[in-house]
Amino acid sequence: MSSLPDMNHEDHAMNDHEESAVSRTKRPWRRAVSAVGLLAGMAFLASCSKNSPQDTWKPKGENAQKIDDLQRPVFLVAGIVGVLVVIAVGYAVMRFRDRGQPIPKQTHGKPALEIVLTIIPFVILATIGVFTARSIVDLADTDGCEMTVNVTGQQWWWEYDYPVTPANQKWGIEKPIVTSGELVIPTGTCVLLRETSRDVIHSYWIPALNGKKDAVPGRVHENKLQADKPGYYSGQCTEFCGLSHANMRQWAIALDPPEFAKWVENQQRDAVAYAEDDTSPEAEGYRAFRQNCSRCHQVNGMQNADGTPTIAAPENNIVAGAVPNLTHLMSRSRFAGATFQLLNNDCNDRLVKAASDQLGAIYLEGVDSKCLNRQQLEQWLRNAPEMKPMYVKPDEQGRLRGMPNLGLSEAQIDSIVTYLQTLK
Ligand code: CUA
């Protein structure tokens, strides 16, 4: 806005030759100063990401390393070219600026210069092109992968399912594992992700482990992740996908193969089915969950009062047709699009800041009553859309896009949380 009176001033100044000459000679300096200020500001902001978990300059595995090996020289060359161009333009602007001198003799064309200025960029771009193409081909090659996980995006969370395939059976997967938010993988292993979506386009990205890949409805895009060391690697959906796009997080937790095997074994276990005459708080919570939550959320092993398995039917209630399977909720560290912590701050810090040789043991502890971020989980049960924006109006078939406010009483919330804590 401040430039407005300035422009008016210049309009008037145009009438006065002397004043316009003064403002013309002063302006380049003022612009140069603002440009330097802007660059300094950008450099300052860029330095804020020093400890950022999603830093694309800190690869933690083979695929991300390949991208890094490409982007560093490209960035360097682009930087050098950029600096040379800025210097050349700056020189031309200062050296040949209008001081009221007569217009120089007009010329047209300088073939030698034009040929040189065509060949140099061609050589630079062709070289970068060859290395880029090689990296793309390398990253697209998923033949040697030793494990497969189906990754499905929906509004607004990621589902991971580990199918029973010959390769996955070698990792002890004899029963499909369905989880959400946190992808658990063994270290030193090429893990093939088969990505798709149930509603709109999402994009999967764990910067420390590979580049991003869109998850598109009706298509399966292959991607691969590999982590060198145990770690807790963060990412987030990188394709705008509606109201809670910003609350659609994803984590990859890399565990040493023996610890990964323990995780696999636990994930395949069914939850306890409490007897109908059991009056323990957990059993009360089990029945409260079954009555209020099991229409959408599957808990493997849960039984109806008549002893038949309780099967969730999210396809009738949710636009995407799926909601997170909660059989092992407390083996994860986050919930609701992996945005909110299941762990209180102390326990979360202990996990996130763990040395790589301790991370696996800490992660496998899951969430116990000492670590549970109970207040936030209760708040979620009280009114989910208040914590995570969702379209609260159902579609024509009465289906929702996320968890609604179920109008639970405080006693029901308490009871359900007591039960959820058993879902290790
Ligand atoms: Cu999903 Cu953005």
Side-chain angles (χ1 to χ4, degrees), residues 272-280 283-284 286-287 290 303:
V272 176
Y274 290 88
E276 291 305 306
D277 56 2
D278 188 337
T279 53
S280 66
E284 300 283 3
Y286 171 82
R287 289 188 285 273
R290 195 174 60 198
Q303 290 176 0

Side-chain angles (χ1 to χ4, degrees), residues 4-316:
L4 266 170
D6 229 339
M7 275 162 65
N8 290 336
H9 168 75
E10 276 167 25
D11 273 353
H12 294 302
M14 285 302 168
N15 301 328
D16 181 335
H17 176 76
E18 223 175 303
E19 206 185 321
S20 90
V22 169
S23 72
R24 258 186 276 160
T25 49
K26 270 186 181 167
R27 239 182 299 150
W29 287 112
R30 237 188 289 157
R31 284 198 188 150
V33 168
S34 358
V36 168
L38 184 68
L39 283 174
M42 280 162 68
F44 173 74
L45 286 177
S47 71
C48 291
S49 68
K50 212 172 163 193
N51 294 313
S52 152
Q54 282 166 211
D55 191 337
T56 51
W57 298 93
K58 287 183 193 142
K60 301 287 185 210
E62 199 184 285
N63 306 306
Q65 187 64 53
K66 273 185 191 144
I67 295 174
D68 199 53
D69 291 346
L70 177 70
Q71 73 175 351
R72 278 177 195 272
V74 169
F75 193 77
L76 182 71
V77 171
I80 292 171
V81 170
V83 168
L84 292 179
V85 168
V86 167
I87 290 173
V89 170
Y91 173 78
V93 164
M94 297 312 296
R95 173 81 178 74
F96 303 110
R97 70 183 186 277
D98 177 12
R99 298 184 188 86
Q101 70 269 51
I103 290 174
K105 195 175 132 248
Q106 299 297 295
T107 60
H108 179 77
K110 198 159 194 187
L113 186 68
E114 283 167 18
I115 289 169
V116 170
L117 287 184
T118 304
I119 288 177
I120 294 176
F122 173 78
V123 170
I124 294 175
L125 291 176
T127 311
I128 289 174
V130 167
F131 285 100
T132 303
R134 208 182 64 176
S135 304
I136 290 172
V137 170
D138 278 359
L139 291 172
D141 177 15
T142 53
D143 283 351
C145 286
E146 301 146 271
M147 207 177 126
T148 301
V149 183
N150 297 317
V151 178
T152 310
Q154 44 249 306
Q155 289 173 324
W156 290 274
W157 58 285
W158 294 96
E159 182 174 81
Y160 304 109
D161 97 78
Y162 299 61
V164 180
T165 63
N168 284 4
Q169 280 174 304
K170 289 191 189 132
W171 293 97
I173 299 169
E174 298 294 344
K175 212 166 117 178
I177 294 173
V178 182
T179 182
S180 55
E182 297 176 352
L183 171 73
V184 182
I185 58 171
T187 54
T189 305
C190 175
V191 179
L192 168 65
L193 306 184
R194 302 180 76 250
E195 299 176 9
T196 188
S197 164
R198 290 199 173 99
D199 39 38
V200 299
I201 300 176
H202 305 270
S203 189
Y204 195 82
W205 193 25
I206 304 283
L209 302 182
N210 202 346
K212 59 181 84 166
K213 185 75 80 147
D214 282 2
V216 180
R219 296 182 65 119
V220 174
H221 289 166
E222 291 194 340
N223 193 5
K224 58 178 177 178
L225 294 187
Q226 179 158 345
D228 294 334
K229 281 201 279 185
Y232 190 79
Y233 305 110
S234 93
Q236 62 196 80
C237 178
T238 58
E239 181 73 40
F240 181 70
C241 55
L243 260 190
S244 262
H245 162 65
N247 293 314
M248 186 167 172
R249 306 295 306 267
Q250 60 251 35
W251 302 81
I253 289 99
L255 304 177
D256 275 335
E259 279 167 337
F260 179 72
K262 282 187 205 158
W263 180 84
V264 165
E265 199 194 325
N266 182 56
Q267 295 294 312
Q268 294 177 102
R269 228 172 266 150
D270 278 352
V272 176
Y274 290 88
E276 291 305 306
D277 56 2
D278 188 337
T279 53
S280 66
E282 288 78 12
E284 300 283 3
Y286 171 82
R287 289 188 285 273
F289 180 96
R290 195 174 60 198
Q291 194 188 342
N292 294 290
C293 320
S294 68
R295 258 176 314 155
C296 294
H297 288 289
Q298 180 67 33
V299 170
N300 305 340
M302 180 168 267
Q303 290 176 0
N304 300 322
D306 61 6
T308 55
T310 307
I311 306 293
E315 61 279 12
N316 300 334

